Amino acid sequence: MASVARITGMTIQTRRERERAERRRLIVTAARELAEAEGWDAVTTRRLAAEIEYSQPVLYSHFKGKGAIMAAVAVEGCAELAVEMRRAREAAPGTRAALAAVAETYTSFARRRPALYDAMFTHLVDLPFATPEAPAALQEAFGQLLAVVTPVTAPEEEPGLVAETFWAALHGLATLMRSGRLPEPAHARRLRLLVDRFAKAGDE
Amino acid sequence: MASVARITGMTIQTRRERERAERRRLIVTAARELAEAEGWDAVTTRRLAAEIEYSQPVLYSHFKGKGAIMAAVAVEGCAELAVEMRRAREAAPGTRAALAAVAETYTSFARRRPALYDAMFTHLVDLPFATPEAPAALQEAFGQLLAVVTPVTAPEEEPGLVAETFWAALHGLATLMRSGRLPEPAHARRLRLLVDRFAKAGDE
DNA sequence: CTCTCATTCCTAGCGTTGCTAGCAAAGGGG
DNA sequence: CCCCTTTGCTAGCAACGCTAGGAATGAGAG
């Protein structure tokens, strides 16, 4: 006769899989917190292993390597950025305001969560980007840029290209500023200037 | 009586200084060539020492560390980028053409010399950037952006900020494309789009 | 309850990195 | 000719990402 466990799916197998999933989350969360607190240089496999109170090889039974862990953190970051941008866009009163709000949200995110941002967009992590296989969170984030940019796209332009170009500009501002190559104080003015250039068909 | 060497300045001291300067150049050149050929990951201190046919510690008698060597290479790269951009700007027939030509030159440089570009603008090298102490080559490069952007600056805008923002956009395009986050084929159209957005006061 | 076997997880170590201490050799100055 | 400074080497340190191989754990069979 089939046991209750078998009926409800609470077999030993499922318990182990659940524990594995939990530990995987533990790794990703620890990596993220450590990175946000002390930067990615501090996220060594030894340090991370100590943080989760397991030995190093455990990491490699969950991820192919450090890069894969960073990629997992990056996906989390994408989801959060997408949420923040959506909120900013939907709260904005008009087309131009939405463009400005999303731009501000994006660069603010990069500044508030530098480690997260680096994992997502500057470090070399093997994440599929410009393909259908890209993570849903990433596509969602890009979707927000697309939504906010479509109203200011000229008839002869393609919204996708405008979104990509706008994204690139925001990314450039964020990274150059964070590496000290652009002076911080003028950031707001640069951002306003960029929005001006892209919101030529703004309704407000 | 003072020797000929003393009069002409060809003392032992100067010979040594000359030899030191030559070896410094040798290091920088070797680092650059190695980086351009196999990427910065291949530029280890051991490999570089073997390349110049000296031992590792010699490197540290010339530079504070690997970062300082990269910084030296970066300065070289700035000089070359500045030359290329100046040439493009001066050969362009009009304001808008100059803007487009410099933009094309910039992103083309980033694609043709990825290692050089990384040392200049993506890697963390301790180079003074937005200060008067910035290397002359760097200021010259930025000057080209400034020159090409000034004619399309609105009266209420500051050319410096426009140049910085335009630079950031180009940088974003270059880095996101090179890391596979933006699809390459559409690059020309994105560049054209960006130039459109910045050349609103173009004379042609 | 006990034996068996598969899975889990740790200790130990490999090869590499940037960087440095300390000694040997070279070479100009008295 | 000898001293002594300068130069550049050998050897090694601590830390990195990653992996092999064995010990311990725990589920299933008799």
Side-chain angles (χ1 to χ4, degrees):
Chain A
M1 176 186 169
S3 70
V4 174
R6 193 173 202 88
I7 292 172
T8 57
M10 298 184 66
T11 62
I12 288 171
Q13 184 79 2
T14 57
R15 191 209 66 201
R16 285 197 174 154
E17 283 173 6
R18 191 181 59 240
E19 287 174 352
R20 259 192 80 81
E22 279 171 13
R23 202 169 53 175
R24 190 194 151 93
R25 285 277 322 156
L26 186 65
I27 293 172
V28 174
T29 303
R32 176 191 165 152
E33 286 174 357
L34 194 49
E36 293 202 83
E38 305 181 33
W40 281 109
D41 283 351
V43 186
T44 69
T45 56
R46 281 166 239 270
R47 179 81 184 274
L48 187 53
E51 213 75 38
I52 64 171
E53 294 177 309
Y54 281 97
S55 66
Q56 276 180 287
V58 171
L59 302 175
Y60 294 88
S61 70
H62 286 272
F63 298 94
K64 210 185 72 183
K66 185 182 172 180
I69 298 177
M70 289 180 65
V73 174
V75 171
E76 274 199 16
C78 286
E80 293 187 24
L81 175 60
V83 167
E84 286 193 25
M85 287 200 296
R86 153 158 273 145
R87 199 143 39 205
R89 181 175 64 82
E90 291 176 345
T95 300
R96 195 196 187 283
L99 198 64
V102 166
E104 166 60 27
T105 300
Y106 185 97
T107 53
S108 158
F109 181 91
R111 189 145 44 164
R112 289 193 327 267
R113 310 191 115 92
L116 213 46
Y117 188 87
D118 282 348
M120 293 158 63
F121 298 133
T122 65
H123 279 301
L124 252 300
V125 295
D126 45 356
L127 267 182
F129 255 79
T131 73
E133 297 91 43
L138 184 52
Q139 297 192 15
E140 165 70 12
F142 185 75
Q144 295 308 311
L145 284 173
L146 198 60
V148 88
V149 131
T150 301
V152 300
T153 301
E156 74 276 11
E157 293 174 338
E158 297 171 50
L161 291 183
V162 180
E164 287 175 351
T165 309
F166 190 58
W167 173 32
L170 293 175
H171 175 69
L173 284 175
T175 55
L176 289 179
M177 199 172 62
R178 220 168 66 63
S179 67
R181 289 173 170 104
L182 284 180
E184 299 228 9
H187 171 61
R189 282 186 288 165
R190 281 190 298 262
L191 207 57
R192 180 186 171 84
L193 200 149
L194 179 71
V195 171
D196 277 342
R197 299 280 171 168
F198 271 82
K200 65 177 174 188
D203 63 353
E204 190 189 19
Chain B
M1 174 186 173
S3 70
V4 173
R6 193 172 201 89
I7 293 172
T8 56
M10 299 183 69
T11 62
I12 288 170
Q13 184 80 1
T14 57
R15 191 209 68 203
R16 285 200 174 151
E17 283 173 7
R18 190 178 61 240
E19 286 174 353
R20 258 191 83 80
E22 279 171 13
R23 202 169 54 176
R24 191 195 150 92
R25 285 277 323 156
L26 186 66
I27 293 172
V28 175
T29 304
R32 176 190 165 154
E33 286 174 358
L34 193 49
E36 294 203 80
E38 306 181 34
W40 280 109
D41 282 352
V43 185
T44 69
T45 56
R46 280 166 237 273
R47 180 81 185 276
L48 187 53
E51 213 75 38
I52 64 171
E53 293 177 309
Y54 281 97
S55 67
Q56 277 180 284
V58 170
L59 302 174
Y60 294 87
S61 69
H62 285 272
F63 298 94
K64 207 186 73 182
K66 185 181 173 181
I69 298 177
M70 289 181 64
V73 173
V75 172
E76 274 199 18
C78 286
E80 292 185 25
L81 175 60
V83 167
E84 286 192 26
M85 287 200 297
R86 153 158 273 144
R87 199 144 38 207
R89 182 175 64 82
E90 291 177 344
T95 299
R96 195 196 188 284
L99 198 64
V102 166
E104 165 62 26
T105 300
Y106 186 97
T107 54
S108 158
F109 181 91
R111 190 145 43 164
R112 291 193 326 268
R113 310 191 116 89
L116 212 47
Y117 188 86
D118 281 349
M120 292 158 62
F121 299 132
T122 65
H123 279 301
L124 252 299
V125 296
D126 45 355
L127 266 182
F129 255 77
T131 71
E133 296 91 43
L138 184 51
Q139 297 192 15
E140 165 71 11
F142 185 76
Q144 296 307 312
L145 284 173
L146 197 61
V148 88
V149 133
T150 300
V152 300
T153 301
E156 74 276 11
E157 293 173 339
E158 297 170 48
L161 291 182
V162 180
E164 287 175 352
T165 308
F166 189 57
W167 173 33
L170 293 175
H171 175 68
L173 285 174
T175 55
L176 289 179
M177 198 172 62
R178 219 167 68 62
S179 67
R181 290 174 169 102
L182 283 181
E184 297 228 10
H187 171 61
R189 281 188 288 166
R190 281 190 297 263
L191 208 56
R192 181 188 171 83
L193 201 148
L194 179 71
V195 171
D196 278 343
R197 300 278 170 169
F198 271 81
K200 66 176 173 190
D203 63 353
E204 187 190 25

